[in-house]
Amino acid sequence: MRRFTIAVPTALALTAVLTALPATAQAHEHRPAPLGIDHCTADACHFDVPSGTYDVRVVLGGDADSSTSVSGETRRALLAETAVPAGARVVRSFTVNVRTPEGEPTGAEGTPGLDLALGGTAPALADIRVTPARHARQIFLVGDSTVCDQPGDPYTGWGQELPQYLRRGVSVANYADSGESTVTYLQNPQLWGTVQPLIRPGDLVLIQLAHNDKTTDEVTYRANLETLVAGVREKGGRPVLVTPIVRRWFNADGTLNNGTALLVNGLGVDHPAVIRSVAADRDVPLIDLTARTKALVESLGVEGSKALYLYNEKRDNTHTSVHGATVYAGLVRDELVAQHLVPRGTVRVG
C-alpha cells in the first residue's frame, strides 16, 4: 500500500508581504513570488500558469522512509523515483515546458497550467517551488509515435521519459506526433510550422522520423531530412539526426538483420542508412539509435526483449512500454553526454 505525507506551511509569508506593499514598491520586484505547496493535494499539484518554461524545486522526505517520483502534463517523467530515509530531506530540481496542446501537437489540448503527479512506492513531498525559468536550454523533439508524449498507458514514447534525465536548466519540448512521416510533418502547420518559429539560437532539435515513411522514395526522404536540418540552422538551432528505434522482429538465428526490424520500407529505402548519409554530408551530429537498440534487443533475446515493447500487452513489436521507453531515453541521454551536445552537469547520469 502506498503512503503519502505532505507538509503544508501555515502561511506564505512572502505573499503576505507583497500584498501589504504599496504598488510603487511592488513595481521594483522583478520576479513574482514562487508558487508553493499550497497548490498541492495528497497526490498532485496544479499551478495556474501560462504557457512557458518553469523551474520546479521539490523537497522530498518525511517522518518515515519515503520514495517519490514526479510526472507532469501528459505522462511526462520529470523526476525518477527517489528514496529518502526517515527524517531526512532531499532537494531535486528540474525544468518543464508548459504549452497547449500539452502532449501531442495534434492531440487534445489538455489541462491549462502546469500539472504534476506524485508517484512512487511511498511518496512524501515536504515542499515545492515553481518559478519562471530564466535562460533555460531547450531540447525540441521532432518525431513519431515512438518518441511522442503518448496520452494513454501502456504506450510510451522515449521522448516522454527523457526529461527525468535532465536537471534544472534544460527542458524537453516534445513535438513528436503519432503517425507522422517526414512528408506529413513538414506539411502540417501544427507540426513543423509551429516548431520552427520557436527555435532559438543554441537550442537542440532531435529529429527521428522514419517509421511512417513507408511509401516515401529515397530522393524525397533525403530531401525532407535536409529541409528539416536547414530549417533548424536557419533559426540558429543545432540539429541532431536520430536513427529510428528497431522493431522487435527476430530472425530464426536470433538477430534483427531484416528489413522489418531495421526500417527498410517497401520501396527498398534503408531509412537508417539515409539518415547516416545525410548526417555525414551535412555535418550533423548523429545519434544512431537503430544500432544502439539493435544491440540491446539482440543481447536480451526473444524473451528478454519483450518487456521493452508492448508485446505482452498488445502483441506490439514497434511501440515501447514505460520500461522500454525509459531504457531507450537513457541511450539518448548517454549519446547527448558522450557527444558533448549538452553540458554534463545538466544531465542525471546515475
Side-chain angles (χ1 to χ4, degrees):
M1 179 181 294
R2 298 199 328 175
R3 62 186 185 279
F4 183 91
T5 59
I6 186 165
V8 181
T10 58
L12 292 176
L14 181 56
T15 301
V17 170
L18 286 175
T19 302
L21 285 174
T24 53
Q26 291 190 42
H28 293 290
E29 294 294 333
H30 299 293
R31 293 189 181 186
L35 300 173
I37 204 165
D38 56 321
H39 293 263
C40 300
T41 62
D43 57 3
C45 302
H46 173 76
F47 302 94
D48 187 15
V49 296
S51 295
T53 306
Y54 295 87
D55 290 330
V56 180
R57 177 183 182 273
V58 295
V59 181
L60 306 177
D63 294 337
D65 290 346
S66 64
S67 188
T68 310
S69 63
V70 181
S71 60
E73 300 296 85
T74 303
R75 301 177 60 239
R76 296 182 215 161
L78 299 172
L79 183 66
E81 189 161 353
T82 302
V84 182
R89 297 291 185 272
V90 169
V91 177
R92 294 287 185 269
S93 297
F94 53 86
T95 301
V96 60
N97 173 254
V98 177
R99 64 183 186 275
T100 301
E102 68 179 30
E104 294 182 84
T106 63
E109 287 193 358
T111 305
L114 171 60
D115 287 285
L116 303 176
L118 306 170
T121 55
L125 178 68
D127 196 16
I128 186 169
R129 289 290 182 269
V130 175
T131 55
R134 295 176 178 271
H135 312 299
R137 295 170 180 263
Q138 199 92 276
I139 299 178
F140 288 94
L141 302 183
V142 169
D144 53 37
S145 59
T146 65
V147 184
C148 74
D149 287 350
Q150 290 279 2
D153 185 70
Y155 291 91
T156 310
W158 62 255
Q160 206 161 13
E161 298 297 310
L162 184 61
Q164 67 186 298
Y165 293 119
L166 302 172
R167 301 180 188 274
R168 176 179 175 177
V170 181
S171 71
V172 174
N174 191 349
Y175 282 86
D177 197 70
S178 293
E180 306 300 341
S181 66
T182 58
V183 176
T184 61
Y185 203 96
L186 283 166
Q187 290 176 343
N188 193 331
Q190 292 176 278
L191 299 173
W192 186 238
T194 295
V195 175
Q196 191 193 21
L198 298 174
I199 299 170
R200 299 171 303 179
D203 285 340
L204 280 182
V205 183
L206 275 56
I207 303 166
Q208 187 217 281
L209 286 166
H211 277 86
N212 300 301
D213 280 281
K214 299 172 184 177
T215 60
T216 309
D217 63 80
E218 183 169 342
V219 171
T220 302
Y221 185 65
R222 177 182 295 271
N224 289 343
L225 293 175
E226 291 173 344
T227 296
L228 290 165
V229 167
V232 174
R233 286 176 167 166
E234 179 185 324
K235 293 294 185 178
R238 297 183 292 156
V240 179
L241 289 173
V242 183
T243 60
I245 67 170
V246 295
R247 295 190 181 99
R248 184 190 161 278
W249 197 263
F250 281 93
N251 297 326
D253 63 359
T255 69
L256 300 179
N257 296 323
N258 61 77
T260 299
L262 299 180
L263 282 296
V264 178
N265 75 9
L267 300 178
V269 180
D270 186 331
H271 293 103
V274 176
I275 296 169
R276 294 177 189 120
S277 174
V278 172
D281 291 346
R282 301 295 176 177
D283 193 24
V284 179
L286 173 75
I287 295 178
D288 199 340
L289 203 51
T290 304
R292 294 291 301 270
T293 56
K294 178 179 187 290
L296 176 59
V297 171
E298 288 180 342
S299 71
L300 292 172
V302 174
E303 290 301 317
S305 62
K306 287 179 179 179
L308 294 173
Y309 292 82
L310 295 177
Y311 179 84
N312 294 324
E313 299 89 344
K314 302 286 184 179
R315 296 296 187 268
D316 185 333
N317 292 302
T318 297
H319 298 96
T320 48
S321 62
V322 172
H323 169 65
T326 303
V327 171
Y328 287 177
L331 297 179
V332 174
R333 179 270 318 268
D334 293 346
E335 288 294 321
L336 291 175
V337 173
Q339 298 189 43
H340 307 290
L341 295 171
V342 295
R344 187 178 182 85
T346 63
V347 179
R348 302 184 198 278
V349 296

